[in-house]
């Protein structure tokens, strides 16, 4: 296993621009989660997929946010018309609960700064 | 009120001290997780508990399901234990996180 990877690691953008982040989970992990963490706070749940199906979305995920996992492998998170309040660390995690446990393995995160 | 509450928010200890971080939750859970986050963001899972107690090296995690309370203990603390420790409740798969406890262990 090479672990969960995320790309890019850092992104600086201007307000109003669109950004897209990618997450590659551990191979064979069928669940993939997106979380957001602002400075000094614990992460907050955004959405998760089981295979290619998006099973739950947080109310935090406004219409400007969209996530996909088209082939049940990697996932993308897009933010349209970014706002300064979107500045945060975006974390991805994967798990394989069918093996009888729910340990989630986290990627290094993508740190977004909206100017 | 947050669904998962941790205390203390900040903790400073001298090397060798016994450390306890507490977590209370108000939601139904399938498991309670303890995670460690180092500067730069990387999060590592330490424990996943649904009952009783687990031990790994100098770390011990306990949970009381009736009281909806969990504790993380670090014995013989070391400066390399300095990090943010986060408890999280898992509920339908997703994690509901506490706000984290920032631990600094001084030599």
């Amino acid at each position: 296993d090479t672990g969960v990877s995320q790309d890019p690691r850092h992104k600086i953008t201007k307000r109003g621009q669109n950004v897209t982040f990618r997450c590659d989970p551990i191979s064979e992990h069928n669940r993939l989660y997106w979380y957001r963490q602002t400075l000094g706070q614990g992460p907050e749940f955004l959405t998760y997929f089981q295979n290619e199906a998006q099973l739950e979305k947080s109310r935090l995920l406004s219409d400007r946010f969209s996530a996909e996992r088209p082939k049940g492998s990697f996932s993308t998170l897009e933010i349209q018309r970014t706002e300064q309040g979107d500045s945060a660390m975006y974390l991805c995690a994967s798990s394989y609960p069918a093996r009888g446990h729910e340990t989630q393995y986290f990627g290094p995160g993508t740190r977004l700064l909206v100017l | 009120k947050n669904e998962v509450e941790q205390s203390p928010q900040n903790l400073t200890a001298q090397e060798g001290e016994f450390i306890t971080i507490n977590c209370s939750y108000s939601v139904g859970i399938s498991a309670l997780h303890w995670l460690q986050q180092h500067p730069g963001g990387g999060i590592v899972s330490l424990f996943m508990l649904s009952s009783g107690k687990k031990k790994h090296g100098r770390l011990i995690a306990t949970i009381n399901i009736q009281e909806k309370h969990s504790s993380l203990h670090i014995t013989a603390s070391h400066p390399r234990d300095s990090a943010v420790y986060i408890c999280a409740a898992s509920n339908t798969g997703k994690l509901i996180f506490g706000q984290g406890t920032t631990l600094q262990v001084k030599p």
Side-chain angles (χ1 to χ4, degrees), chain B residues 1 9 11 15 21 29 34-35 37 47-48 52 55 60-62 81 103 107:
Chain B
K1 192 177 189 318
Q9 282 194 293
L11 184 55
E15 183 173 357
I21 300 170
I29 66 169
W34 283 100
L35 309 108
Q37 185 171 31
F47 294 103
M48 184 181 64
K55 183 175 189 293
I60 303 166
T62 63
D81 297 326
L103 171 65

Side-chain angles (χ1 to χ4, degrees), chain A residues 1-4 24-32 49-51 69 71-74 94-99 101 103 105:
Chain A
D1 278 335
T2 57
V4 179
D24 286 88
I26 293 171
S27 58
E28 298 181 354
H29 278 193
N30 59 354
R31 283 196 177 177
L32 186 149
F49 294 84
Q50 180 151 313
N51 300 313
R69 194 182 183 199
K71 297 181 181 178
S73 56
F74 73 91
S94 70
S95 70
Y96 192 26
R99 288 183 179 158
H101 58 82
T103 298
Y105 296 84

Side-chain angles (χ1 to χ4, degrees), chain B residues 35-107:
Chain B
L35 309 108
Q36 182 190 57
Q37 185 171 31
H38 280 282
I43 294 178
V44 175
S45 179
L46 299 174
F47 294 103
M48 184 181 64
L49 293 163
S50 53
S51 65
K53 176 179 173 178
K54 286 191 176 180
K55 183 175 189 293
H56 185 254
R58 294 180 295 105
L59 302 179
I60 303 166
T62 63
I63 188 168
N64 184 317
I65 298 292
Q66 287 73 30
E67 294 186 3
K68 294 191 172 183
H69 181 270
S70 177
S71 294
L72 176 69
H73 305 286
I74 305 176
T75 61
S77 59
H78 191 275
R80 64 175 175 265
D81 297 326
S82 298
V84 176
Y85 292 84
I86 310 173
C87 73
S90 60
N91 181 322
T92 67
K94 70 176 186 279
L95 295 179
I96 304 169
F97 292 85
Q99 72 270 43
T101 296
T102 301
L103 171 65
Q104 183 183 21
V105 181
K106 294 184 175 180

Side-chain angles (χ1 to χ4, degrees), chain A residues 55-90:
Chain A
L55 295 188
E56 188 172 349
K57 290 171 60 173
S58 165
R59 286 171 291 177
L60 293 174
L61 218 62
S62 76
D63 291 345
R64 297 184 298 103
F65 287 71
S66 62
E68 293 183 340
R69 194 182 183 199
K71 297 181 181 178
S73 56
F74 73 91
S75 175
T76 58
L77 177 69
E78 181 183 16
I79 309 173
Q80 296 182 325
R81 304 181 304 281
T82 52
E83 301 173 355
Q84 287 184 326
D86 298 330
S87 296
M89 174 78 87
Y90 290 83

